[in-house]
Amino acid sequence: MENKFTEQELVRRQKAEDLKNQGIDPFGSRFDRTHNTASFKEEFKSFTKEELHDLEHPPLIKIAGRIMTKRIKGKAGFAHIQDQYGQIQLYVKIDNVGEVAYDLFEKADLGDIVGVSGRPMITNAGELSIKVENYLHLVKALRPLPDKFHGLVDVEERYRRRYVDMIMNEDSKNTLILRSKIIQAMRNYLNNLGYLEVETPILHSILGGANARPFVTHHNALDMPFYLRIAPELYLKRLIIGGLDCVYEIGRNFRNEGISIKHNPEFTMMELYLAYSDLEGMMDLTENLVNSVAMSTLGTTSIPYGDKTIHLEKGWRRAHMVDLIKEETGINFFDITDFEEAKRLANEYKLHVEPHLYGVGHIINLFFEAFCEAKIVQPTFVYGHPIEISPLTKKDPLNPRFTQRFELFIDSREFANAYTELNDPIDQLERFENQLKEKALGNVEATEMDTDFVESLEYGMPPTGGIGIGIDRLVMLLTNSVSIRDVLLFPHMKNRSK
RNA sequence: GACCCGCUAGCUCAGUAGGUAGAGCAUUUGACUUUUAAUCAAAGGGUCGGGCGUUCGAAUCGCCCGCGGGUCACCA
C-alpha cells in the first residue's frame, strides 16, 4: 500500500517531526483540566470586562481542546478551541507565553489539540476568553479539517467519517448526545417504576417474535446455524412465566431488509412486559413514558418535526383499524367475512394481493396501509389488528377475528407495537402452525415453530401486556431528524474501494 | 431491486456552445500585540469518481461500472 500524501498532509507530518526534534511528543499525553468550555463560561458569565481585569487573584484556568480557528496578528493572536460542550477563545500573546511557546502556537494547525492555562478575560469585542499564560501542544492532526465556515456538508462523508461530522457540525453532535439522554431518560423512568432491565440472547436458533427476514450466522463449536435476533419477545415472555413481573430490554434487533431513510439493518428497540396488564395498560404506559422522556430531555411535549408540530400531551387518539378504514373508504370490514369478497374489494381498490395472503384480515391490513397510515399525523393508537397478522397476540374475546393489539403511529410512522399477550398455549400452537403454512406459501417473513416456547406457556403465563418501542424513530422525532442515519452514531454504508 | 439526481483542489462550490481547469476557506512565505468567516501582499496545490467510445480536441456528448442522495416496493 503506497501512501500518497497531499501537500497539506506533508506539511503537517513535517511539523510533527519538527516537534519531535524539539523534544515535544506530537501525540502527547495526560493533561489535567480545571474546566471545560461550558463550566468555564458558566463560572464567569456574570463578570464584566473590568471586574475580570481588576480581580486581585484571578483564578488559573486549565482547559484543553481542538483548535478550530486561529488569527495571528503579529506578536499576539487568537484561537478558538473546542471540546464536547462548545468553544472558547484563547488570547495568546508573546509577552505572556514566551517566545518558544508562541512559536508553537504560530505553527499550530487547525485541528491540533492543545492544553493551556491562563486567566479569564473579556476582549474589546466583548467575548469571554482565556488570556493564556502557558501554552502546551498536545496532539498534532495530520489531516486538515474541512472548511471552517461551511463545515462538512457532503452527506456520504458525514456518515462515513462521523467523527469529522461531529467536530464540524454542532447539530450532528448534539443529536447524537441527545440520543444517549433519551435512552437514559427511558431507563430512569422504567427503573423508577420497578422494572427490571434484562439481557436476553441475540443469537437465536429459532426465528420468532416478529415477521422479518433474518441475518444468518454459524456457530463453529456447536456446528449449528444461528439467526441474529429479529426481536427479543419470546425470551422476555419466558421471564414473565419465570415469575418476573415487569421486565424490559433495550437492545439491537437485526433485520435483513432494505436500508432507507427510516430503516437500518440493525436498530434499537425497547421491549417491555408487564404481568397482569393488558393493551390498555400498555397505552397508558406509552403515553406516560413518552411524555416523561420528552419533558426530561426537551422540557416540552410540543415537538417541532419538519413543518409540523407533534403534540405528545396525554389523551392520544385510540382508533380501531377497521373504523379508520371506514373513515377513509366507507368500507366496513366488520361486516365482511368472506375472503373472496374482500379480495374483490382489494382488486377494486387496486391493491395487490400476494399469494400467501389467505384471510380477510390480510386484506384489512392492506387497506389500512394503503389508505390510513399516511393520514395519521398526531399520536394515534391504532388497535384491533386482524388475527392473521398477529401470531403472538390474544384474541379479542368479543370478536375473535381481531386481536388485542395496537400500533402507535405518529406522522405516518410506526413507533410502537403492543399486545395483550397470547398466553393460551393451545392457541399459540395453532398460530405457529399457521405461520408454517404461510412460510410454505412463500412468505419469507413467517416465523418458525418454537415448541420450547409453547411448552413454557403450558406452565402458565400470567395475563400480560407487552410493547416494543422503536428507539431510533423516537430519537428522530425528538431531535427533528429526517433520516434514521442522523440518529445512528455509525450508519451502515457500502464499502468503498479506494 | 426499479426509477430520478449527484460525484471537479483537504473542504465548500463555479465551469459558458466540446478548445490547455477557476474562486473562497485551508496550506506556504511576508506584514500586523484585542481579533473573531481577522486583514493586506505573493505562491503552491487537480489522473474533473473509474473505464471504454465519439471527436483534430471531452470535466462537458454516449455507453458500462462504482459510491452516495431521493422516490417507490418490503419492513420498525
Short mmCIF file of all heavy atoms in Angstrom, two decimals, chain A residues 109-165:
data_model
loop_
_atom_site.label_atom_id
_atom_site.label_comp_id
_atom_site.label_asym_id
_atom_site.label_seq_id
_atom_site.Cartn_x
_atom_site.Cartn_y
_atom_site.Cartn_z
N ASP A 109 -1.70 23.99 13.69
CA ASP A 109 -2.67 23.93 12.60
C ASP A 109 -4.08 23.78 13.17
O ASP A 109 -4.26 23.27 14.27
CB ASP A 109 -2.39 22.71 11.71
CG ASP A 109 -1.16 22.90 10.85
OD1 ASP A 109 -1.10 23.93 10.15
OD2 ASP A 109 -0.26 22.04 10.90
N LEU A 110 -5.05 24.18 12.37
CA LEU A 110 -6.43 23.91 12.71
C LEU A 110 -6.60 22.40 12.83
O LEU A 110 -6.15 21.65 11.97
CB LEU A 110 -7.39 24.45 11.64
CG LEU A 110 -7.31 25.96 11.36
CD1 LEU A 110 -8.45 26.38 10.44
CD2 LEU A 110 -7.34 26.76 12.65
N GLY A 111 -7.23 21.98 13.91
CA GLY A 111 -7.40 20.55 14.12
C GLY A 111 -6.48 20.00 15.20
O GLY A 111 -6.76 18.97 15.80
N ASP A 112 -5.37 20.71 15.47
CA ASP A 112 -4.47 20.28 16.54
C ASP A 112 -5.18 20.40 17.89
O ASP A 112 -6.09 21.21 18.07
CB ASP A 112 -3.22 21.17 16.57
CG ASP A 112 -2.28 20.89 15.40
OD1 ASP A 112 -2.62 20.04 14.58
OD2 ASP A 112 -1.23 21.56 15.33
N ILE A 113 -4.72 19.59 18.83
CA ILE A 113 -5.30 19.63 20.17
C ILE A 113 -4.26 20.22 21.12
O ILE A 113 -3.10 19.80 21.12
CB ILE A 113 -5.74 18.22 20.60
CG1 ILE A 113 -6.84 17.73 19.66
CG2 ILE A 113 -6.21 18.22 22.05
CD1 ILE A 113 -7.18 16.27 19.79
N VAL A 114 -4.70 21.21 21.89
CA VAL A 114 -3.77 21.91 22.78
C VAL A 114 -4.35 21.98 24.18
O VAL A 114 -5.55 21.87 24.39
CB VAL A 114 -3.47 23.34 22.27
CG1 VAL A 114 -2.89 23.30 20.87
CG2 VAL A 114 -4.72 24.20 22.29
N GLY A 115 -3.44 22.17 25.14
CA GLY A 115 -3.85 22.42 26.52
C GLY A 115 -3.24 23.73 26.96
O GLY A 115 -2.09 24.01 26.65
N VAL A 116 -4.01 24.55 27.64
CA VAL A 116 -3.47 25.84 28.07
C VAL A 116 -3.84 26.08 29.53
O VAL A 116 -4.80 25.51 30.05
CB VAL A 116 -4.03 27.01 27.23
CG1 VAL A 116 -3.66 26.85 25.77
CG2 VAL A 116 -5.52 27.16 27.41
N SER A 117 -3.05 26.97 30.17
CA SER A 117 -3.52 27.52 31.42
C SER A 117 -3.47 29.03 31.29
O SER A 117 -2.63 29.58 30.57
CB SER A 117 -2.70 27.02 32.60
OG SER A 117 -1.33 27.19 32.33
N GLY A 118 -4.38 29.69 31.95
CA GLY A 118 -4.45 31.14 31.81
C GLY A 118 -5.54 31.71 32.69
O GLY A 118 -6.12 31.01 33.52
N ARG A 119 -5.79 32.99 32.50
CA ARG A 119 -6.77 33.70 33.35
C ARG A 119 -7.95 34.15 32.51
O ARG A 119 -7.79 34.47 31.33
CB ARG A 119 -6.12 34.94 33.98
CG ARG A 119 -4.72 34.75 34.50
CD ARG A 119 -4.70 34.02 35.82
NE ARG A 119 -3.31 33.72 36.22
CZ ARG A 119 -2.95 33.09 37.33
NH1 ARG A 119 -3.89 32.70 38.19
NH2 ARG A 119 -1.69 32.85 37.60
N PRO A 120 -9.11 34.21 33.13
CA PRO A 120 -10.30 34.68 32.40
C PRO A 120 -10.17 36.15 32.02
O PRO A 120 -9.63 36.94 32.79
CB PRO A 120 -11.44 34.46 33.39
CG PRO A 120 -10.81 34.43 34.73
CD PRO A 120 -9.43 33.86 34.53
N MET A 121 -10.66 36.51 30.85
CA MET A 121 -10.65 37.91 30.41
C MET A 121 -11.81 38.12 29.45
O MET A 121 -12.38 37.16 28.93
CB MET A 121 -9.34 38.24 29.69
CG MET A 121 -9.22 37.54 28.34
SD MET A 121 -7.81 38.04 27.34
CE MET A 121 -8.40 39.55 26.61
N ILE A 122 -12.14 39.40 29.26
CA ILE A 122 -13.12 39.72 28.23
C ILE A 122 -12.46 40.66 27.25
O ILE A 122 -11.79 41.62 27.64
CB ILE A 122 -14.39 40.35 28.84
CG1 ILE A 122 -15.16 39.27 29.62
CG2 ILE A 122 -15.28 40.94 27.76
CD1 ILE A 122 -16.40 39.75 30.33
N THR A 123 -12.60 40.38 25.97
CA THR A 123 -11.89 41.16 24.95
C THR A 123 -12.63 42.46 24.68
O THR A 123 -13.74 42.68 25.15
CB THR A 123 -11.83 40.36 23.63
OG1 THR A 123 -13.17 40.18 23.16
CG2 THR A 123 -11.17 39.03 23.83
N ASN A 124 -12.00 43.31 23.90
CA ASN A 124 -12.64 44.57 23.50
C ASN A 124 -13.94 44.32 22.76
O ASN A 124 -14.86 45.13 22.82
CB ASN A 124 -11.70 45.37 22.59
CG ASN A 124 -10.55 45.96 23.39
OD1 ASN A 124 -10.59 45.98 24.63
ND2 ASN A 124 -9.53 46.41 22.69
N ALA A 125 -13.99 43.19 22.06
CA ALA A 125 -15.21 42.86 21.33
C ALA A 125 -16.25 42.25 22.25
O ALA A 125 -17.37 41.94 21.82
CB ALA A 125 -14.91 41.91 20.18
N GLY A 126 -15.87 42.04 23.52
CA GLY A 126 -16.85 41.59 24.50
C GLY A 126 -16.95 40.08 24.66
O GLY A 126 -17.91 39.60 25.27
N GLU A 127 -15.96 39.35 24.15
CA GLU A 127 -16.05 37.89 24.26
C GLU A 127 -15.23 37.37 25.43
O GLU A 127 -14.05 37.66 25.56
CB GLU A 127 -15.57 37.25 22.95
CG GLU A 127 -15.67 35.72 23.02
CD GLU A 127 -15.45 35.03 21.69
OE1 GLU A 127 -15.40 35.73 20.66
OE2 GLU A 127 -15.33 33.80 21.70
N LEU A 128 -15.92 36.58 26.26
CA LEU A 128 -15.24 35.92 27.38
C LEU A 128 -14.18 34.97 26.81
O LEU A 128 -14.49 34.13 25.97
CB LEU A 128 -16.27 35.13 28.21
CG LEU A 128 -15.72 34.35 29.41
CD1 LEU A 128 -15.07 35.27 30.43
CD2 LEU A 128 -16.83 33.52 30.05
N SER A 129 -12.94 35.14 27.27
CA SER A 129 -11.84 34.40 26.67
C SER A 129 -10.86 34.00 27.75
O SER A 129 -11.06 34.29 28.93
CB SER A 129 -11.10 35.27 25.64
OG SER A 129 -12.01 35.79 24.68
N ILE A 130 -9.78 33.33 27.35
CA ILE A 130 -8.73 32.97 28.29
C ILE A 130 -7.43 33.62 27.84
O ILE A 130 -7.00 33.44 26.69
CB ILE A 130 -8.57 31.44 28.38
CG1 ILE A 130 -9.81 30.85 29.05
CG2 ILE A 130 -7.32 31.08 29.16
CD1 ILE A 130 -9.89 29.35 28.98
N LYS A 131 -6.86 34.42 28.76
CA LYS A 131 -5.56 35.02 28.47
C LYS A 131 -4.52 33.97 28.84
O LYS A 131 -4.32 33.64 30.02
CB LYS A 131 -5.38 36.28 29.32
CG LYS A 131 -4.22 37.13 28.86
CD LYS A 131 -3.81 38.14 29.91
CE LYS A 131 -4.90 39.20 30.12
NZ LYS A 131 -4.54 40.11 31.23
N VAL A 132 -3.91 33.40 27.81
CA VAL A 132 -3.06 32.22 28.02
C VAL A 132 -1.72 32.63 28.63
O VAL A 132 -1.08 33.59 28.20
CB VAL A 132 -2.85 31.49 26.68
CG1 VAL A 132 -1.87 30.33 26.86
CG2 VAL A 132 -4.18 31.00 26.13
N GLU A 133 -1.32 31.86 29.67
CA GLU A 133 0.00 32.07 30.26
C GLU A 133 0.92 30.91 29.95
O GLU A 133 2.13 31.04 29.96
CB GLU A 133 -0.14 32.24 31.78
CG GLU A 133 -0.86 33.54 32.12
CD GLU A 133 -1.07 33.71 33.61
OE1 GLU A 133 -0.61 32.83 34.39
OE2 GLU A 133 -1.68 34.72 34.01
N ASN A 134 0.30 29.74 29.75
CA ASN A 134 1.09 28.56 29.48
C ASN A 134 0.43 27.81 28.34
O ASN A 134 -0.72 27.40 28.44
CB ASN A 134 1.14 27.69 30.75
CG ASN A 134 2.36 26.79 30.73
OD1 ASN A 134 2.81 26.36 29.67
ND2 ASN A 134 2.88 26.50 31.90
N TYR A 135 1.17 27.66 27.24
CA TYR A 135 0.60 27.03 26.04
C TYR A 135 1.31 25.71 25.80
O TYR A 135 2.55 25.64 25.75
CB TYR A 135 0.81 27.97 24.84
CG TYR A 135 0.36 27.38 23.53
CD1 TYR A 135 -0.93 27.59 23.05
CD2 TYR A 135 1.23 26.60 22.77
CE1 TYR A 135 -1.34 27.03 21.84
CE2 TYR A 135 0.83 26.05 21.57
CZ TYR A 135 -0.46 26.27 21.11
OH TYR A 135 -0.86 25.71 19.93
N LEU A 136 0.53 24.63 25.67
CA LEU A 136 1.10 23.30 25.54
C LEU A 136 0.54 22.61 24.30
O LEU A 136 -0.68 22.51 24.15
CB LEU A 136 0.71 22.48 26.78
CG LEU A 136 1.68 21.43 27.27
CD1 LEU A 136 2.95 22.09 27.79
CD2 LEU A 136 1.02 20.60 28.35
N HIS A 137 1.44 22.16 23.43
CA HIS A 137 0.96 21.33 22.32
C HIS A 137 0.62 19.95 22.85
O HIS A 137 1.40 19.35 23.57
CB HIS A 137 2.04 21.20 21.24
CG HIS A 137 1.72 20.13 20.23
ND1 HIS A 137 0.97 20.39 19.11
CD2 HIS A 137 1.99 18.80 20.22
CE1 HIS A 137 0.81 19.26 18.43
NE2 HIS A 137 1.42 18.28 19.09
N LEU A 138 -0.56 19.42 22.50
CA LEU A 138 -0.91 18.07 22.95
C LEU A 138 -0.91 17.07 21.80
O LEU A 138 -0.24 16.05 21.87
CB LEU A 138 -2.28 18.08 23.64
CG LEU A 138 -2.30 18.72 25.04
CD1 LEU A 138 -3.70 18.70 25.61
CD2 LEU A 138 -1.34 17.99 25.98
N VAL A 139 -1.68 17.34 20.74
CA VAL A 139 -1.77 16.36 19.66
C VAL A 139 -1.76 17.06 18.30
O VAL A 139 -2.49 18.03 18.09
CB VAL A 139 -3.05 15.51 19.78
CG1 VAL A 139 -3.20 14.56 18.59
CG2 VAL A 139 -3.05 14.71 21.08
N LYS A 140 -0.93 16.52 17.39
CA LYS A 140 -0.88 17.03 16.02
C LYS A 140 -1.95 16.32 15.19
O LYS A 140 -2.06 15.11 15.23
CB LYS A 140 0.49 16.73 15.43
CG LYS A 140 0.73 17.36 14.09
CD LYS A 140 1.08 18.81 14.25
CE LYS A 140 0.70 19.61 13.03
NZ LYS A 140 0.57 21.04 13.35
N ALA A 141 -2.73 17.09 14.46
CA ALA A 141 -3.67 16.50 13.49
C ALA A 141 -2.97 16.42 12.16
O ALA A 141 -2.52 17.44 11.64
CB ALA A 141 -4.93 17.35 13.39
N LEU A 142 -2.83 15.22 11.62
CA LEU A 142 -2.08 15.04 10.38
C LEU A 142 -2.93 15.31 9.15
O LEU A 142 -2.42 15.43 8.05
CB LEU A 142 -1.51 13.62 10.30
CG LEU A 142 -0.46 13.29 11.36
CD1 LEU A 142 0.07 11.88 11.17
CD2 LEU A 142 0.70 14.29 11.33
N ARG A 143 -4.25 15.37 9.36
CA ARG A 143 -5.14 15.69 8.24
C ARG A 143 -5.84 17.02 8.53
O ARG A 143 -6.19 17.29 9.66
CB ARG A 143 -6.21 14.61 8.06
CG ARG A 143 -5.67 13.32 7.50
CD ARG A 143 -6.74 12.25 7.59
NE ARG A 143 -6.23 10.97 7.14
CZ ARG A 143 -6.48 10.45 5.94
NH1 ARG A 143 -7.24 11.08 5.08
NH2 ARG A 143 -5.98 9.28 5.60
N PRO A 144 -6.07 17.81 7.47
CA PRO A 144 -6.75 19.09 7.67
C PRO A 144 -8.24 18.90 7.90
O PRO A 144 -8.83 17.94 7.42
CB PRO A 144 -6.49 19.83 6.36
CG PRO A 144 -6.28 18.77 5.35
CD PRO A 144 -5.67 17.60 6.07
N LEU A 145 -8.82 19.81 8.65
CA LEU A 145 -10.27 19.81 8.85
C LEU A 145 -10.94 20.43 7.62
O LEU A 145 -10.32 21.18 6.87
CB LEU A 145 -10.63 20.65 10.07
CG LEU A 145 -10.26 20.08 11.44
CD1 LEU A 145 -10.61 21.09 12.53
CD2 LEU A 145 -10.94 18.75 11.69
N PRO A 146 -12.23 20.15 7.44
CA PRO A 146 -12.99 20.82 6.38
C PRO A 146 -13.06 22.33 6.60
O PRO A 146 -12.70 22.83 7.68
CB PRO A 146 -14.38 20.21 6.51
CG PRO A 146 -14.18 18.92 7.21
CD PRO A 146 -13.02 19.12 8.12
N ASP A 147 -13.51 23.02 5.61
CA ASP A 147 -13.74 24.46 5.63
C ASP A 147 -14.37 24.91 6.94
O ASP A 147 -15.43 24.42 7.32
CB ASP A 147 -14.67 24.78 4.44
CG ASP A 147 -14.88 26.26 4.26
OD1 ASP A 147 -15.24 26.92 5.24
OD2 ASP A 147 -14.68 26.73 3.13
N LYS A 148 -13.71 25.83 7.63
CA LYS A 148 -14.17 26.21 8.97
C LYS A 148 -15.54 26.89 8.92
O LYS A 148 -16.26 26.91 9.92
CB LYS A 148 -13.16 27.13 9.64
CG LYS A 148 -13.06 28.50 8.98
CD LYS A 148 -11.91 29.31 9.57
CE LYS A 148 -11.70 30.55 8.74
NZ LYS A 148 -10.39 31.18 9.01
N PHE A 149 -15.88 27.46 7.78
CA PHE A 149 -17.16 28.17 7.69
C PHE A 149 -18.29 27.27 7.22
O PHE A 149 -19.35 27.23 7.82
CB PHE A 149 -17.03 29.38 6.75
CG PHE A 149 -18.25 30.24 6.75
CD1 PHE A 149 -18.62 30.92 7.91
CD2 PHE A 149 -19.04 30.37 5.61
CE1 PHE A 149 -19.76 31.72 7.92
CE2 PHE A 149 -20.18 31.17 5.63
CZ PHE A 149 -20.53 31.85 6.78
N HIS A 150 -18.04 26.51 6.16
CA HIS A 150 -19.11 25.67 5.61
C HIS A 150 -19.22 24.33 6.31
O HIS A 150 -20.24 23.67 6.22
CB HIS A 150 -18.87 25.45 4.10
CG HIS A 150 -18.93 26.71 3.30
ND1 HIS A 150 -17.80 27.42 2.97
CD2 HIS A 150 -19.98 27.40 2.82
CE1 HIS A 150 -18.16 28.49 2.29
NE2 HIS A 150 -19.46 28.51 2.19
N GLY A 151 -18.13 23.91 6.98
CA GLY A 151 -18.16 22.63 7.65
C GLY A 151 -18.14 21.49 6.67
O GLY A 151 -17.77 21.65 5.50
N LEU A 152 -18.54 20.31 7.14
CA LEU A 152 -18.62 19.13 6.28
C LEU A 152 -20.06 18.98 5.84
O LEU A 152 -20.94 18.76 6.64
CB LEU A 152 -18.15 17.89 7.05
CG LEU A 152 -18.07 16.60 6.24
CD1 LEU A 152 -17.04 16.71 5.12
CD2 LEU A 152 -17.74 15.43 7.14
N VAL A 153 -20.28 19.13 4.54
CA VAL A 153 -21.65 19.13 4.01
C VAL A 153 -21.97 17.80 3.33
O VAL A 153 -23.07 17.27 3.47
CB VAL A 153 -21.81 20.29 3.00
CG1 VAL A 153 -23.16 20.21 2.31
CG2 VAL A 153 -21.67 21.62 3.72
N ASP A 154 -21.00 17.25 2.64
CA ASP A 154 -21.22 16.03 1.86
C ASP A 154 -21.80 14.93 2.76
O ASP A 154 -21.19 14.51 3.74
CB ASP A 154 -19.87 15.58 1.29
CG ASP A 154 -20.03 14.38 0.38
OD1 ASP A 154 -20.38 14.57 -0.80
OD2 ASP A 154 -19.84 13.25 0.85
N VAL A 155 -23.01 14.48 2.41
CA VAL A 155 -23.74 13.56 3.27
C VAL A 155 -23.00 12.25 3.45
O VAL A 155 -22.91 11.71 4.55
CB VAL A 155 -25.15 13.30 2.69
CG1 VAL A 155 -25.92 12.35 3.57
CG2 VAL A 155 -25.91 14.60 2.54
N GLU A 156 -22.46 11.77 2.37
CA GLU A 156 -21.72 10.50 2.43
C GLU A 156 -20.54 10.60 3.40
O GLU A 156 -20.33 9.72 4.24
CB GLU A 156 -21.22 10.14 1.02
CG GLU A 156 -20.50 8.82 0.97
CD GLU A 156 -20.14 8.41 -0.45
OE1 GLU A 156 -20.55 9.11 -1.39
OE2 GLU A 156 -19.47 7.38 -0.60
N GLU A 157 -19.80 11.68 3.29
CA GLU A 157 -18.66 11.86 4.18
C GLU A 157 -19.10 12.02 5.64
O GLU A 157 -18.42 11.58 6.55
CB GLU A 157 -17.82 13.08 3.75
CG GLU A 157 -16.99 12.84 2.51
CD GLU A 157 -15.99 11.70 2.69
OE1 GLU A 157 -15.28 11.66 3.72
OE2 GLU A 157 -15.93 10.83 1.81
N ARG A 158 -20.24 12.69 5.83
CA ARG A 158 -20.72 12.89 7.21
C ARG A 158 -21.01 11.56 7.88
O ARG A 158 -20.76 11.39 9.07
CB ARG A 158 -21.99 13.76 7.21
CG ARG A 158 -21.73 15.21 6.82
CD ARG A 158 -22.71 16.14 7.52
NE ARG A 158 -24.08 15.83 7.15
CZ ARG A 158 -25.00 15.41 8.00
NH1 ARG A 158 -24.71 15.26 9.28
NH2 ARG A 158 -26.22 15.16 7.58
N TYR A 159 -21.52 10.59 7.11
CA TYR A 159 -21.82 9.28 7.71
C TYR A 159 -20.58 8.40 7.80
O TYR A 159 -20.41 7.66 8.76
CB TYR A 159 -22.90 8.57 6.89
CG TYR A 159 -24.23 9.29 6.89
CD1 TYR A 159 -25.08 9.22 5.79
CD2 TYR A 159 -24.65 10.03 7.99
CE1 TYR A 159 -26.31 9.85 5.78
CE2 TYR A 159 -25.86 10.68 7.99
CZ TYR A 159 -26.69 10.59 6.88
OH TYR A 159 -27.91 11.23 6.88
N ARG A 160 -19.73 8.47 6.76
CA ARG A 160 -18.55 7.60 6.74
C ARG A 160 -17.51 8.07 7.75
O ARG A 160 -16.83 7.25 8.36
CB ARG A 160 -17.92 7.58 5.36
CG ARG A 160 -18.70 6.76 4.36
CD ARG A 160 -17.90 6.57 3.10
NE ARG A 160 -18.70 6.08 2.00
CZ ARG A 160 -18.95 4.78 1.79
NH1 ARG A 160 -18.47 3.87 2.59
NH2 ARG A 160 -19.70 4.40 0.77
N ARG A 161 -17.34 9.38 7.87
CA ARG A 161 -16.40 9.92 8.86
C ARG A 161 -17.21 10.70 9.88
O ARG A 161 -17.18 11.93 9.91
CB ARG A 161 -15.39 10.86 8.20
CG ARG A 161 -14.45 10.19 7.26
CD ARG A 161 -13.40 11.21 6.85
NE ARG A 161 -13.07 11.09 5.45
CZ ARG A 161 -12.01 10.40 5.01
NH1 ARG A 161 -11.23 9.82 5.87
NH2 ARG A 161 -11.77 10.31 3.73
N ARG A 162 -17.97 9.95 10.67
CA ARG A 162 -18.87 10.60 11.62
C ARG A 162 -18.09 11.51 12.57
O ARG A 162 -18.57 12.56 12.98
CB ARG A 162 -19.62 9.51 12.41
CG ARG A 162 -20.54 10.08 13.45
CD ARG A 162 -21.66 10.90 12.82
NE ARG A 162 -22.86 10.12 12.61
CZ ARG A 162 -23.94 10.57 11.99
NH1 ARG A 162 -23.96 11.79 11.49
NH2 ARG A 162 -24.98 9.81 11.83
N TYR A 163 -16.84 11.12 12.91
CA TYR A 163 -16.05 11.93 13.84
C TYR A 163 -15.79 13.31 13.27
O TYR A 163 -15.80 14.29 14.01
CB TYR A 163 -14.74 11.21 14.19
CG TYR A 163 -14.06 10.59 12.99
CD1 TYR A 163 -13.12 11.30 12.25
CD2 TYR A 163 -14.39 9.30 12.58
CE1 TYR A 163 -12.52 10.75 11.14
CE2 TYR A 163 -13.79 8.74 11.47
CZ TYR A 163 -12.86 9.47 10.75
OH TYR A 163 -12.29 8.92 9.63
N VAL A 164 -15.57 13.40 11.96
CA VAL A 164 -15.35 14.73 11.36
C VAL A 164 -16.67 15.53 11.39
O VAL A 164 -16.69 16.71 11.69
CB VAL A 164 -14.82 14.61 9.92
CG1 VAL A 164 -14.63 16.01 9.31
CG2 VAL A 164 -13.50 13.84 9.89
N ASP A 165 -17.75 14.82 11.10
CA ASP A 165 -19.06 15.44 11.18
C ASP A 165 -19.30 16.01 12.57
O ASP A 165 -19.76 17.14 12.73
CB ASP A 165 -20.11 14.35 10.85
CG ASP A 165 -21.54 14.87 10.87
OD1 ASP A 165 -21.75 16.04 10.49
OD2 ASP A 165 -22.44 14.10 11.25
#
